[in-house]
Amino acid sequence: IDTENDKAFDKGEMNTYRELETTCQVFLPVVHTFLTSLSRSLLNRTASEQLPPQLVGKLLPCLPGSVIVYSLEQLAAYAKAYNGEDEGTKTVFKHVSTVLQILTTVNDQ
């Protein structure tokens, strides 16, 4: 996201979900590629490992419903189950759920 030319950033009126959706389109394919490159045992450990508090605080501070997740496995379950009313938020969580689906698949095997 180029904040230099983004007038919404300049005015402090960022359309959060539009910006977030754009970020997801860039970031999530990279995450998916990384996760699919991991071995089954490493992927399993990655799914259940507690995320560092700094990461949770910076990336996932205010999930709808005031939910706090502590692992990628919890984030995957939350994203899959999310059924809020806002269409933009639903779209973002659908993308996240699709990418993190590999985490639930490895635990089923």
Side-chain angles (χ1 to χ4, degrees):
I1 300 173
D2 182 8
T3 58
E4 293 298 317
N5 295 322
D6 190 342
K7 303 238 186 273
F9 273 104
D10 294 340
K11 294 180 180 178
E13 299 171 358
M14 178 177 69
N15 181 338
T16 304
Y17 294 109
R18 193 183 83 213
E19 298 289 343
L20 186 57
E21 193 169 348
T22 302
T23 302
C24 285
Q25 291 172 354
V26 172
F27 180 69
L28 290 177
V30 175
V31 171
H32 183 262
T33 300
F34 173 73
L35 290 174
T36 56
S37 73
L38 299 176
S39 69
R40 178 181 288 158
S41 89
L42 188 54
L43 188 59
N44 195 20
R45 287 195 333 234
T46 300
S48 60
E49 183 76 23
Q50 185 168 344
L51 297 170
Q54 303 89 339
L55 183 64
V56 173
K58 298 266 186 204
L59 293 179
L60 306 167
C62 299
L63 292 174
S66 299
V67 172
I68 299 173
V69 297
Y70 296 100
S71 69
L72 289 178
E73 193 171 52
Q74 290 176 343
L75 179 59
Y78 179 83
K80 184 176 182 179
Y82 181 79
N83 195 23
E85 294 182 16
D86 182 76
E87 289 302 317
T89 308
K90 277 185 184 179
T91 301
V92 168
F93 281 118
K94 182 179 177 187
H95 293 313
V96 170
S97 178
T98 300
V99 168
L100 296 181
Q101 185 175 11
I102 190 169
L103 299 176
T104 58
T105 306
V106 76
N107 289 333
D108 294 341
Q109 296 176 353

